């Protein structure tokens, strides 16, 4: 057991790999090794990470600077797939950062977030391959850095990370995916529809993972779950969640009816 590497060293290596192909490959190998032989949980120094491993492109801009493109054009269609691809690439980094950064959690936490990292890498690969079939590469369009900026903002506390990244930012994907699927159906892109069906199914599980560990951390600290979520939402996000919500998917992902009423402004 002493000869095994630390899980945190392995997570850091995956997190800081710049090349997307190598990151996907290293993620798969690390997850497989965890299941086959395990790692130690010997702690290492935790660094502040301004930027995780990523390629030089896409160029990062603010969300407001992203050009609006019609899905009816070939370029607009590819830009939509690219934006989804970029989200999944960032999600790989977010999952590995959760493993690397929060080194005082139970082993189940690392098991869960490595599973998420593996699934996000799979999603990225599916979308990138589809993007290539449209004649484009990941990096051909600009992207924004909102997901990683949220990771930096919540790096000091796993409870806040679980509240705001899986349960706010990633949960937003549960709300908007059905509308994106309809647009892709209208565009005749059945392959992308099939990919998004896989992603949506898995993302319910990812948000549920965040909900479960948020509840665990609240209970460990003697804090009420629903009130703490509201407080953090108001403190960090000004309480703003754009609707409409996908209530059925959010309920499966660990939200309570009271939380959803609050988010919709009715409770």
């Amino acid at each position: 057991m002493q000869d095994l590497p630390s899980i945190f060293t392995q997570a850091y290596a995956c997190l800081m790999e710049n090349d997307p192909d190598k990151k996907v490959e290293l993620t798969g190998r690390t997850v497989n090794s965890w299941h086959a032989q395990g790692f130690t949980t010997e702690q290492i120094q935790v660094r502040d990470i301004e930027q995780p491993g990523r390629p030089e492109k896409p160029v990062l801009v603010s969300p407001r600077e992203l050009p609006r493109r019609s899905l009816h054009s070939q370029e607009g269609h590819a830009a939509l797939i690219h934006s989804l691809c970029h989200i999944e690439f960032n999600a790989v980094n977010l999952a590995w950062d959760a493993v690397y950064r929060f080194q005082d959690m139970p082993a189940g936490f690392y098991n869960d977030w490595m599973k998420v990292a593996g699934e996000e890498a799979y999603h990225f690969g599916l979308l990138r391959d589809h993007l290539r079939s449209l004649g484009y590469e990941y990096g051909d369009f600009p992207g924004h850095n909102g997901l990683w900026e949220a990771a930096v903002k919540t790096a000091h506390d796993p409870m806040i990370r679980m509240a705001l990244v899986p349960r706010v930012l990633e949960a937003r994907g549960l709300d908007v995916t059905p509308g994106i699927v309809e647009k892709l159906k209208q565009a005749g892109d059945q392959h992308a529809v099939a990919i998004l069906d896989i992603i949506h199914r898995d993302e319910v599980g990812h948000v549920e993972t965040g909900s479960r560990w948020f509840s665990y951390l609240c209970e460990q600290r003697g804090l009420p779950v629903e009130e703490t979520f509201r407080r953090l939402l108001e403190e960090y996000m000004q309480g703003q969640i754009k609707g409409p919500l996908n209530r059925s998917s959010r309920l499966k992902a660990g939200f309570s009816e009271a939380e959803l009423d609050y988010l919709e402004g009715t409770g």
Side-chain angles (χ1 to χ4, degrees):
M1 198 68 173
Q2 300 92 303
D3 296 332
L4 294 175
S6 166
I7 189 174
F8 307 119
T9 302
Q10 298 301 103
Y12 184 76
C14 293
L15 176 61
M16 299 309 293
E17 174 55 59
N18 292 313
D19 182 89
D21 288 318
K22 291 180 181 176
K23 190 186 289 282
V24 168
E25 181 188 354
L26 187 57
T27 292
R29 277 196 281 119
T30 303
V31 173
N32 289 338
S33 294
W34 166 257
H35 291 303
Q37 63 188 30
F39 299 115
T40 73
T41 52
E42 182 180 345
Q43 296 190 4
I44 62 174
Q45 180 184 358
V46 179
R47 304 165 186 264
D48 292 332
I49 300 173
E50 191 173 327
Q51 285 294 339
R54 57 176 299 274
E56 289 184 10
K57 290 187 174 182
V59 173
L60 299 180
V61 299
S62 77
R64 283 173 294 191
E65 292 178 79
L66 289 171
R68 291 185 172 275
R69 294 182 173 93
S70 169
L71 190 59
H72 298 296
S73 70
Q74 184 178 358
E75 185 181 53
H77 188 154
L80 173 61
I81 302 301
H82 186 277
S83 69
L84 299 172
C85 198
H86 183 60
I87 289 168
E88 297 302 320
F89 183 83
N90 276 276
V92 178
N93 282 336
L94 284 166
W96 281 124
D97 188 70
V99 175
Y100 162 70
R101 185 160 304 283
F102 304 121
Q103 297 185 11
D104 288 315
M105 297 295 289
F109 180 87
Y110 308 120
N111 189 69
D112 282 349
W113 287 107
M114 277 197 281
K115 180 176 185 285
V116 172
E119 290 177 350
E120 302 289 20
Y122 172 59
H123 299 164
F124 171 75
L126 289 174
L127 287 165
R128 186 191 49 186
D129 289 349
H130 187 49
L131 185 64
R132 286 172 173 168
S133 77
L134 300 175
Y136 293 84
E137 281 287 343
Y138 178 56
D140 284 352
F141 299 93
H144 70 79
N145 204 31
L147 278 172
W148 187 255
E149 287 168 1
V152 171
K153 199 184 294 187
T154 60
H156 61 291
D157 189 331
M159 185 185 75
I160 299 174
R161 171 70 64 86
M162 295 297 107
L164 301 182
V165 175
R167 301 196 91 222
V168 175
L169 299 179
E170 294 187 60
R172 189 70 194 120
L174 303 182
D175 302 330
V176 302
T177 296
I180 295 171
V181 165
E182 281 307 309
K183 288 180 181 178
L184 290 167
K185 283 180 179 176
Q186 291 169 16
D189 190 346
Q190 291 303 321
H191 186 52
V193 169
I195 292 171
L196 284 187
D197 284 344
I198 293 168
I199 291 175
H200 186 80
R201 176 201 69 202
D202 292 345
E203 293 296 342
V204 169
H206 300 173
V207 177
E208 189 279 331
T209 298
S211 293
R212 187 158 29 83
W213 287 107
F214 174 64
S215 295
Y216 167 86
L217 287 159
C218 286
E219 287 162 15
Q220 290 290 106
R221 302 177 191 189
L223 298 172
V225 175
E226 291 178 356
E227 289 176 29
T228 302
F229 182 60
R230 289 189 188 196
R231 175 176 60 79
L232 292 173
L233 199 61
E234 286 162 9
E235 181 179 345
Y236 284 85
M237 316 292 267
Q238 290 77 51
Q240 296 176 347
I241 299 288
K242 292 180 181 177
L245 304 183
N246 185 338
R247 287 186 74 106
S248 63
S249 290
R250 280 182 177 256
L251 286 169
K252 290 176 190 172
F255 285 85
S256 68
E257 293 279 7
E259 285 176 323
L260 297 181
D261 289 344
Y262 167 72
L263 291 174
E264 290 183 325
T266 61

